[in-house]
Amino acid sequence: MQIGSSVSRRRFLSAAGVAGVIGTAGCIGGNDDDELDLSEYDGEEATVEYSTAPLFGDIKDQLKESMRNAGLHKNIDVEFSTGVWGADDQEDRYNQILQAGRSTPDIMLTNFSYTSSFAPRGWLVDLNKALPEEKLDEIKNDYHQVMVDSMRLDGGLYGVPQFVDIPAILYRKDYVENAGYDPEGENWATEPMQWERFAEIASDAREANGVDHAYTTTLNQRTIGHQTGYEKIVTMGGNYFGDMENQHGPIGDRPITIDDEPVIEALRLMRTFMHGSDDEHALDGVTGDILPSEALGWDTQPSQESFAAGEAVFHRNWSYAIAQFAGEDAFGDDIGLMPFPYGVTKDEAEYEETGGTNSTLGGWHLSLNPNSENLPAAVEVLKAMTSDEFYLDIFEFTGSTPPKPDLYESDQAQDVPVMSRYLDTLQLQSENQWVHPINQIWDSQKDAIADEFHACLNQEQSPEAAVKAAQETVEEIENTDL
């Protein structure tokens, strides 16, 4: 069976190779759960290595103190190891470590995108067997459930959330006020607006302030079909696989709905934003020319440079960026935050859990290495790092938002400098998040989608042709016997 373009075919064959390895679950560098030492910690001295992001490694002394305050045993020392950080880079690193069967790091900061690859190989401990019932009940009842579910696979739980990343729209409050708008009076923080109004405001504010860009975001090959472009599709009431309950599968037995009208409308919306009302596929009545075409080459960091320089009005980013831009040494109170605009309401949306303000899930988890020689001690560290005390401390120290919604209401959260100003928006957006498909064929499918969407926004093909080509390739991948 032929798989789309040569680029898509190479990506698919790579995914098929991964699936072949997955078919031999537990045979490479993994352990049978029955062989793991999941006994209670006995109080002996132990050093637990925690592989984490530089964000946390840079404040390791504060975090160690926080763990002690949360009840970590005095005989357990935690050693932080960090490297160049990024989801793809870290996945490559963990692949090498786990395939080699190395015993350290004992605890790993993991991304939910690793679940479908690592868990079937026996590379992560099923926390259902490692954590006490009290903790498991807490995870089931008190946590951000989309975040928790992103680490579940075939009944196993392979990570517990360390923090959730919540994307939202940052904007220059002073710029929109200069254009005659009243964001506080109109309650932009918790009352999402439609994309049509957003575009008009963005255009007016750019003109009133003489800045380069009305709106900036990333739309490169990595993000357009998987994240930022996908977000706009969901806010327009569309999805790639019908209702959100179909996201993860079953593969080969779920609807594929890329060529439906909401996806076409989302591509037309982005074409209008990027190329203006003169584009032959522009949406009527929507203000255009608010999004630079350079966004098609931007990843997250480049996408924020214009905003950081004071040359953009609105900017899509993750919650961790708020402290960076709204600190007193940056733009301070001039930074506003708003939930994602939308094209249709949830009631009008074609598919369940789409429409309205909606954003993709981000964030990181804590997972256990099954080859660890210190699993009982590592479990104790995991319990300390998933305590309310620790969650609130990392929120205060780094701006990393807690994965337990009730913590937003705590006195400590309400007193955190900078971030506390934006809690209402963050809480609203966190209640309207979804996660991309988590299975072994998603990487090849998302890259095929990105190829066609990029060509569409580059005005190389129509939205209708883009969704037709993406639909065909995704169907072929979906229905190929791996």
Side-chain angles (χ1 to χ4, degrees), residues 116-299:
S116 60
S117 175
F118 288 5
R121 295 169 169 175
W123 285 3
L124 302 173
V125 173
D126 182 355
L127 299 180
N128 286 321
K129 301 177 181 180
L131 295 176
E133 279 301 318
E134 181 181 358
K135 189 66 185 180
L136 292 172
D137 287 343
E138 182 185 335
I139 291 170
K140 180 180 179 180
N141 296 316
D142 300 340
Y143 277 67
H144 187 306
Q145 287 307 301
V146 175
M147 188 73 175
V148 172
D149 290 345
S150 71
M151 291 299 280
R152 295 190 190 278
L153 190 71
D154 297 331
L157 176 66
Y158 297 97
V160 58
Q162 179 67 133
F163 64 92
V164 58
D165 264 337
I166 305 167
I169 307 291
L170 295 94
Y171 66 93
R172 287 292 298 270
K173 194 183 302 183
D174 50 340
Y175 287 176
V176 298
E177 288 173 346
N178 289 344
Y181 294 97
D182 181 12
E184 293 187 1
E186 297 177 14
N187 200 20
W188 289 7
T190 55
E191 294 184 15
M193 63 180 66
Q194 290 189 294
W195 283 115
E196 183 177 351
R197 176 164 168 76
F198 170 84
E200 179 182 6
I201 294 169
S203 179
D204 287 348
R206 177 183 57 189
E207 182 176 350
N209 294 277
V211 295
D212 291 340
H213 299 138
Y215 169 48
T216 58
T217 187
T218 164
L219 285 171
N220 68 349
Q221 178 74 28
R222 184 182 72 84
T223 60
I224 188 172
H226 176 67
Q227 187 184 94
T228 49
Y230 200 171
E231 285 170 337
K232 289 182 175 61
I233 288 167
V234 175
T235 65
M236 298 292 282
N239 192 28
Y240 300 149
F241 302 100
D243 296 341
M244 280 292 174
E245 66 180 12
N246 303 317
Q247 284 296 84
H248 312 309
I251 295 171
D253 191 25
R254 57 181 172 169
I256 298 176
T257 54
I258 300 171
D259 63 354
D260 280 9
E261 191 63 26
V263 184
I264 295 172
E265 290 295 287
L267 289 174
R268 293 182 65 197
L269 179 76
M270 288 187 278
R271 287 261 302 230
T272 310
F273 283 178
M274 190 166 288
H275 301 294
S277 56
D278 291 338
D279 184 280
E280 62 178 314
H281 298 288
L283 287 174
D284 292 338
V286 175
T287 303
D289 194 28
I290 65 167
L291 175 64
S293 59
E294 290 89 344
L296 294 172
W298 285 343
D299 210 316

